Amino acid sequence: MGGLPLVEVPHPVGTIPVDALKKVAAAAVESIIAGLTRKNGNAEIGTEGGEKSHDPETEKMITVPRDPAALFHFVAARGWSDGLPVLPPTPAAVNAMIGACGLKRDHVLGTIPPLNGIATVEKIAANAVMAGCLPDYFPLVLAGVTGMLQPGFNLDGVQTTTGNVAPLAIVNGPCRKTLEINCGANVLGQGWRANATIGRAIRFVMTNIGGAVPGLYDKSTVGQPAKYTFCVGENEEESPWESLHVERGFNREADAVSMFGCSGVNSAVDMASQNAKGLLKTFALTMIGGMTSGVTSTEVMLILCPEHAAILSTGGYSKSTLRQELFEMARVPFEKISDDNLELLSKRRPSWFANNTRELGAVDRPEDIWIVVAGGAGAKSAYIPGRTGTHLQTTKIE
């Protein structure tokens, strides 16, 4: 939605033979021309007695039912929802959202793959309204979308992979307090409007503007709950180290959003170790848990709870020394990996096969391990693998 009209294809795009793909492309020419030359209109369609709302696909004004249940059915039937109820993007609501960012409604952030829908401020605002965002959240949504559009994020790969990849938005700066973004207890869970709706709005942009409809262009085999929404704040106040956005070159008082393409959350529980060396062994074992397949992470992330972070810091570790030691420890012997996966990995990560170490690391470099402090009381952290070819991107919130 928000891009070129969808074209039905009988096979997954990645496995279509060249001749068949040429036929699909030829059949799509007319619809592509129509999509590129379509003008914005003011036609009103829908149910009488409703209220006007922006259509995130056609940019026309449509009329939708006032009854919440009927509205939900109307939107869900058109594929504009994630399966949960939404709010109607009325002109007043969209204008309020746009007014919070200081940009013109027709300002273009870029094109969202796989269908290359044009991401205007107005379209993003309509999706943010549907997701339940407050206008004050909108600059964070725009920063998140901007980050995903950077070439290093590899949004096209994130959108169309068969893997269970989702974008994680990490918020830094004073806005965490102003907007009541959760950085503490249950930080990866439910219960906070800002976290839930900011992450959900970003997902709506990916689906409604980018066209990554599950089962059609979003080819994820099993998916994950984070594909509904995934947004956290870093617990800067309880971190013994510099925050993520400071590492990325921003002033501590700046507000920023970092986007990380990741595949699931793995618990890193250690309630017994009272020293840094013990914790490092636990984290290294957690990191190698999913490394025996041909799927690899270009970058990975540790979400350290404040208790674990304090033990590591007291033990003399900085983020840099943590990365270096985990890089050395989080490795799997070749003997633990199947021959077929070893053959695949030799092509994807050839540097590990160029010597006689006979082992595979979680990442190729220590600096590919990101460390964020978040969460509340308790000795429970999390390990989050990234996606192949996807690099964390940080954007200042304007």
Side-chain angles (χ1 to χ4, degrees):
M1 297 168 63
L4 304 179
L6 301 182
V7 180
E8 292 188 3
V9 294
H11 307 287
V13 173
T15 59
I16 297 179
V18 174
D19 290 343
L21 188 59
K22 288 180 179 179
K23 293 180 181 179
V24 171
V29 169
E30 291 187 7
S31 62
I32 291 173
I33 293 174
L36 291 173
T37 58
R38 182 178 62 213
K39 295 182 179 179
N40 295 341
N42 293 313
E44 296 180 4
I45 59 175
T47 305
E48 293 184 0
E51 56 181 301
K52 294 178 182 178
S53 175
H54 278 91
D55 177 346
E57 177 181 13
T58 65
E59 292 189 321
K60 295 185 294 186
M61 297 295 292
I62 64 172
T63 302
V64 299
R66 290 186 181 276
D67 176 70
L71 170 65
F72 178 34
H73 178 75
F74 181 89
V75 171
R78 286 157 180 77
W80 300 340
S81 170
D82 52 7
L84 298 172
V86 302
L87 298 179
T90 63
V94 172
N95 288 339
M97 199 70 66
I98 295 172
C101 75
L103 296 173
K104 293 183 178 180
R105 64 178 63 245
D106 59 353
H107 177 80
V108 176
L109 271 68
T111 57
I112 310 294
L115 297 186
N116 295 326
I118 300 173
T120 64
V121 168
E122 183 175 37
K123 287 182 182 179
I124 299 171
N127 282 281
V129 171
M130 289 197 297
C133 285
L134 293 175
D136 287 346
Y137 305 163
F138 191 50
L140 281 71
V141 175
L142 292 176
V145 173
T146 299
M148 291 195 304
L149 287 169
Q150 301 309 305
F153 187 79
N154 187 18
L155 182 55
D156 194 22
V158 170
Q159 287 274 65
T160 58
T161 179
T162 54
N164 57 338
V165 182
L168 166 60
I170 305 147
V171 182
N172 283 106
C175 71
R176 296 169 301 116
K177 300 299 182 182
T178 305
L179 302 179
E180 298 184 342
I181 294 171
N182 187 20
C183 311
N186 199 40
V187 68
L188 302 186
Q190 82 291 357
W192 295 80
R193 180 176 182 176
N195 299 55
T197 61
I198 291 168
R200 190 186 189 203
I202 291 170
R203 170 57 61 184
F204 276 179
V205 168
M206 297 169 70
T207 303
N208 293 341
I209 300 179
V213 178
L216 186 58
Y217 291 104
D218 177 345
K219 293 297 183 181
S220 181
T221 304
V222 297
Q224 61 162 311
K227 295 188 74 171
Y228 281 97
T229 178
F230 206 10
C231 174
V232 305
E234 181 166 13
N235 193 340
E236 299 176 24
E237 291 72 20
E238 296 191 69
S239 173
W241 307 298
E242 62 184 8
S243 60
L244 178 62
H245 73 313
V246 173
E247 281 192 273
R248 301 286 289 168
F250 293 95
N251 186 283
R252 182 177 177 84
E253 295 306 312
D255 293 317
V257 175
S258 297
M259 300 300 296
F260 179 65
C262 58
S263 56
V265 177
N266 301 272
S267 292
V269 178
D270 190 336
M271 302 173 66
S273 297
Q274 296 300 309
N275 60 71
K277 292 296 183 181
L279 283 181
L280 284 172
K281 289 181 179 180
T282 297
F283 294 149
L285 286 171
T286 303
M287 291 172 67
I288 66 176
M291 288 172 52
T292 55
S293 72
V295 178
T296 61
S297 300
T298 298
E299 298 178 341
V300 300
M301 180 175 291
L302 274 171
I303 302 285
L304 296 179
C305 67
E307 183 174 328
H308 283 162
I311 292 173
L312 292 166
S313 177
T314 301
Y317 282 91
S318 65
K319 283 189 175 182
S320 178
T321 53
L322 275 177
R323 291 187 179 103
Q324 185 62 49
E325 193 146 342
L326 286 170
F327 175 72
E328 299 292 340
M329 295 174 65
R331 300 186 179 187
V332 174
F334 282 0
E335 292 72 25
K336 300 253 183 213
I337 304 173
S338 74
D339 291 341
D340 290 337
N341 278 314
L342 278 175
E343 182 179 356
L344 177 59
L345 288 164
S346 68
K347 299 172 183 176
R348 290 185 169 181
R349 304 180 67 187
S351 62
W352 292 93
F353 295 79
N355 50 47
N356 294 319
T357 59
R358 299 290 298 173
E359 60 184 7
L360 181 74
V363 289
D364 291 341
R365 308 176 305 165
E367 53 265 42
D368 294 329
I369 302 172
W370 295 107
I371 298 170
V372 173
V373 177
K380 297 174 175 65
S381 296
Y383 170 63
I384 306 179
R387 184 192 183 276
T388 304
T390 297
H391 298 267
L392 181 141
Q393 304 292 319
T394 303
T395 304
K396 184 178 179 181
I397 300 169
E398 302 292 348

